[in-house]
Amino acid sequence: MNRDAFEQQARSWRQKALCVSMSYGAGRDEAEDIAQDVMLRLWQMHNELERYDSVESLTALMARHLLMNHQRRRKPESLEETMIVGISPSPHEQLEMKENNQWLTHRLEQLPTTQRTLIYMRQVERRSHEEIAQLLGIETTSVSTLLARARRALLEDVKRRNNL
């Protein structure tokens, strides 16, 4: 195929390469790169193009294979780099979470001082039972017992609240 004949067909082949690339998931810029590579390869083999029944099919096949190779070479994005869509809670869920937090905060304030302190040290400060016992000057078993009582009291309140 001579240069003039190639130039006459080049636009339609380039458009085919673009469409195929984008239909297989390439973005506009990536599809442009693929189409450019296809056109370069077609030009490199322009003397042999007459032996193909459909240069358009050849173009589509080349575009698809080049895109797959391009995607294989691309390093995968980590979860932090990707945009996560649709996880934010609805306004109703946000209001519910706010009310639950307010209720829990109020309920924690109503606990006896010792129980409230123990829960704070264990859950917020992430202290071990031994550390808490040492700081408060009580036995480790007492820490476990008092924490269990505080948690049980909160659990009962949660159960009563949810049954209303």
Side-chain angles (χ1 to χ4, degrees):
M1 177 179 281
N2 66 25
R3 182 181 177 152
D4 292 333
F6 184 87
E7 286 177 358
Q8 287 177 354
Q9 295 294 318
R11 283 196 178 125
S12 66
W13 296 335
R14 184 178 184 288
Q15 189 61 38
K16 181 68 173 179
L18 274 171
C19 290
V20 168
S21 298
M22 291 176 76
S23 71
Y24 280 94
R28 184 71 184 174
D29 292 337
E30 189 176 26
E32 289 284 347
D33 292 343
I34 299 297
Q36 188 68 29
D37 285 346
V38 168
M39 295 311 297
L40 179 61
R41 288 171 191 237
L42 286 174
W43 175 249
Q44 289 171 342
M45 56 188 287
H46 73 278
N47 292 329
E48 302 151 22
L49 291 178
E50 279 102 17
R51 69 183 177 127
Y52 292 97
D53 292 333
S54 172
V55 178
E56 195 167 292
S57 296
L58 176 65
T59 302
L61 186 64
M62 289 172 87
R64 194 178 98 209
H65 285 235
L66 284 169
L67 177 63
M68 289 184 336
N69 288 341
H70 191 261
Q71 289 174 338
R72 266 190 225 121
R73 282 187 296 246
R74 187 180 340 151
K75 68 176 186 177
E77 295 177 342
S78 67
L79 186 59
E80 294 82 34
E81 294 172 349
T82 59
M83 184 181 225
I84 300 174
V85 181
I87 294 183
S88 62
S90 69
H92 175 73
E93 291 169 327
Q94 288 176 350
L95 179 62
E96 206 171 286
M97 288 183 339
K98 182 180 175 186
E99 288 175 354
N100 286 339
N101 285 338
Q102 288 173 343
W103 178 86
L104 183 59
T105 301
H106 178 70
R107 183 58 193 110
L108 284 169
E109 289 170 355
Q110 291 178 341
L111 284 174
T113 306
T114 306
Q115 289 181 353
R116 183 175 56 244
T117 303
L118 285 169
I119 286 181
Y120 182 83
M121 292 174 86
R122 181 71 181 132
Q123 300 301 127
V124 177
E125 295 178 356
R126 300 282 188 204
R127 294 181 184 270
S128 68
H129 289 212
E130 292 78 20
E131 286 179 299
I132 296 171
Q134 186 180 13
L135 288 169
L136 298 179
I138 58 177
E139 294 293 320
T140 306
T141 54
S142 298
V143 171
S144 299
T145 303
L146 291 170
L147 273 172
R149 284 183 189 159
R151 289 175 177 155
R152 193 175 316 113
L154 285 173
L155 179 62
E156 292 301 319
D157 288 343
V158 167
K159 286 179 180 178
R160 275 193 300 274
R161 182 173 188 253
N162 289 334
N163 286 332
L164 292 177

